[in-house]
Amino acid sequence: MRRPSTQEFPLPPLDEIDLDALVHEQTGRWPTLNGPRTAEAALREVERLREERAAQWQAAPHQLLSAAIAMSAGRLDEAAATFDAGLDLAETGELAWTSMAVGARALIDVLRSEPDAAGARLDRWKAGPRVLQFGIPQPARAEMALLEARRRYADAARLAHQIRSRATEGHHAVWLATIAPELGRMALRAADDRLRTAIAQDIERLPAPLSPALVPSVLLARALTAVAHEETAALAAEAAEAAAGIGEALVEMAAWEEAAVAAAHQGHKDDARHHARNALRCADRTGAVHAAARLASRLRTAGVRLGSTAGRVRPATGWEALTPTEAQVAEQVRAGLSGPDIARRMHISPRTVQTHVSHVLAKLGLSSRVELAAAAAARAAGTPPGPVPVHR
């Protein structure tokens, strides 16, 4: 993978930016949404208006937005399927601005411990026009996570500096506050005090009161950049509780991880294991296999072993391999619902339903919806399934 150059992200003079005015300007343009739950409700109303006005040209952007909301809520498998369907739709409609979706989809690859898929996705994006939506370096954010997953912490921290510079240069204060915990983790893992200090300054310059959706991320960033390290575990736990309250599952998981690691480094092993169990529950619920492995590794370094509490990996095939969303789609197929009917019931697009059905068929070794309906009916009735067909 090519190492980014500093020329791609020139360093601006930060003291020339009125961050307070910029954040007030940005937040004044957008409705305040209290996390993924209210965002989903708002999007459904927008989609209703789209259908009412026959504005189908908006279908791809709305699908990608739906995927981003599902990702924030921790429904990674649903988000991945929705991103894939939305990106296909965007390509059909020649929608050029897909960098936010591509970066988020690569982040999902990293979280699900699929680094090669993330790298290939980012390489394909780099080979194209490389148009950044709103000028936000979302693909670079995913590349930073990939570098961390590959234990290239110094490279990840260098890229974190460049991302932060690009975000401040583009006046993307709200986005910068959202990803500040990730930048803070890079600073911590690379022992980069300059990056830690810069993020702490950015966070303290945000105006109060914060948008409710930003509170957990900002609390976690403060925990990671605190000079008094004994405060980190308590601040991170507070951030986790705040994130859980508004349904920000990925932030909650990250916050419990930092609370566990901080407690372990302070010698509070019982607290570390308690926070780790919370983090692992989040990782299991979301399918973030890499986050669970990262937590276990960081705790081992701090002298804490998790043993049998270190999470469960979903099998690759069979009914147990299905995600909750895929299982729900399979049940709807068993009931005889069509793709459009399932889409309406689940508030997703027919194309996303089709993606889920394809994943279910592959995991169960089936070739058609008819076979799926029969297999699901047999399973519901408790009768032994017939032989699984082998497709060559």
Side-chain angles (χ1 to χ4, degrees), residues 83-106:
F83 271 129
D84 290 344
L87 287 167
D88 286 345
L89 192 60
E91 185 174 355
T92 302
E94 297 184 349
L95 178 67
W97 280 15
T98 58
S99 62
M100 294 294 288
V102 170
R105 183 63 181 84

Side-chain angles (χ1 to χ4, degrees), residues 61-72:
H62 290 170
Q63 181 123 354
L64 297 177
L65 181 56
S66 175
I69 294 170
M71 182 179 175
S72 294

Side-chain angles (χ1 to χ4, degrees), residues 6 9-14 161-162 164-166 168-169 194:
T6 55
F9 299 109
L11 296 171
L14 298 180
H161 278 287
Q162 295 166 13
R164 176 183 169 273
S165 297
R166 182 65 177 264
T168 52
E169 180 185 39
R194 185 168 69 92

Side-chain angles (χ1 to χ4, degrees), residues 144 155-165 183 186-187 195:
M144 177 182 70
D155 290 339
R158 275 192 289 271
L159 185 53
H161 278 287
Q162 295 166 13
I163 290 168
R164 176 183 169 273
S165 297
L183 302 179
M186 295 309 120
L195 179 59

Side-chain angles (χ1 to χ4, degrees), residues 33-38 72-73 211-216 240-249:
L33 297 176
N34 193 4
R37 298 186 188 111
T38 54
S72 294
S211 164
L214 283 180
V215 168
E241 297 288 357
I246 62 172
E248 286 279 359

Side-chain angles (χ1 to χ4, degrees), residues 53-324:
R53 298 170 184 176
Q56 290 308 310
W57 63 272
Q58 296 179 329
H62 290 170
Q63 181 123 354
L64 297 177
L65 181 56
S66 175
I69 294 170
M71 182 179 175
S72 294
R75 302 193 301 272
L76 294 185
D77 293 299
E78 176 187 336
T82 308
F83 271 129
D84 290 344
L87 287 167
D88 286 345
L89 192 60
E91 185 174 355
T92 302
E94 297 184 349
L95 178 67
W97 280 15
T98 58
S99 62
M100 294 294 288
V102 170
R105 183 63 181 84
L107 277 170
I108 292 175
D109 287 332
V110 173
L111 285 168
R112 297 198 303 188
S113 202
E114 299 168 355
D116 291 342
R121 197 180 304 279
L122 293 170
D123 287 343
R124 286 194 299 273
W125 184 82
K126 290 176 185 177
R130 300 179 62 174
V131 178
L132 288 177
Q133 190 172 3
F134 310 122
I136 294 174
Q138 181 87 322
R141 174 193 182 188
E143 185 167 350
M144 177 182 70
L146 180 58
L147 288 169
E148 181 196 17
R150 290 173 169 167
R151 300 177 184 269
R152 293 171 56 184
Y153 304 129
D155 290 339
R158 275 192 289 271
L159 185 53
H161 278 287
Q162 295 166 13
I163 290 168
R164 176 183 169 273
S165 297
R166 182 65 177 264
T168 52
E169 180 185 39
H171 305 165
H172 303 303
V174 172
W175 183 79
L176 183 58
T178 301
I179 71 159
E182 298 163 36
L183 302 179
R185 191 175 69 243
M186 295 309 120
L188 185 65
R189 303 201 77 182
D192 189 330
D193 195 57
R194 185 168 69 92
L195 179 59
R196 182 200 65 77
T197 300
I199 298 163
Q201 291 172 346
D202 291 341
I203 290 301
E204 292 310 314
R205 292 170 64 194
L206 290 170
L210 293 168
S211 164
L214 283 180
V215 168
S217 292
V218 170
L219 282 174
L220 180 53
R222 284 180 177 148
L224 284 162
T225 59
V227 175
H229 296 298
E230 63 273 10
E231 298 177 2
T232 301
L235 282 172
E238 183 182 352
E241 297 288 357
I246 62 172
E248 286 279 359
L250 296 186
V251 179
E252 180 190 359
M253 177 178 67
W256 285 127
E257 175 183 345
E258 298 307 330
V261 172
H265 280 291
Q266 292 164 20
H268 306 313
K269 294 189 175 183
D270 288 342
D271 287 347
R273 291 190 178 94
H274 170 75
H275 296 323
R277 283 192 291 271
N278 288 333
L280 291 171
R281 276 193 290 269
C282 292
D284 187 47
R285 188 169 64 245
T286 61
V289 179
H290 169 67
R294 181 180 65 206
L295 169 62
S297 174
R298 295 176 73 189
L299 287 179
R300 279 196 302 272
T301 301
V304 175
R305 293 188 175 273
L306 296 177
S308 61
T309 66
R312 177 180 64 89
V313 177
R314 185 183 291 127
T317 60
W319 288 98
E320 294 301 315
L322 302 189
T323 68

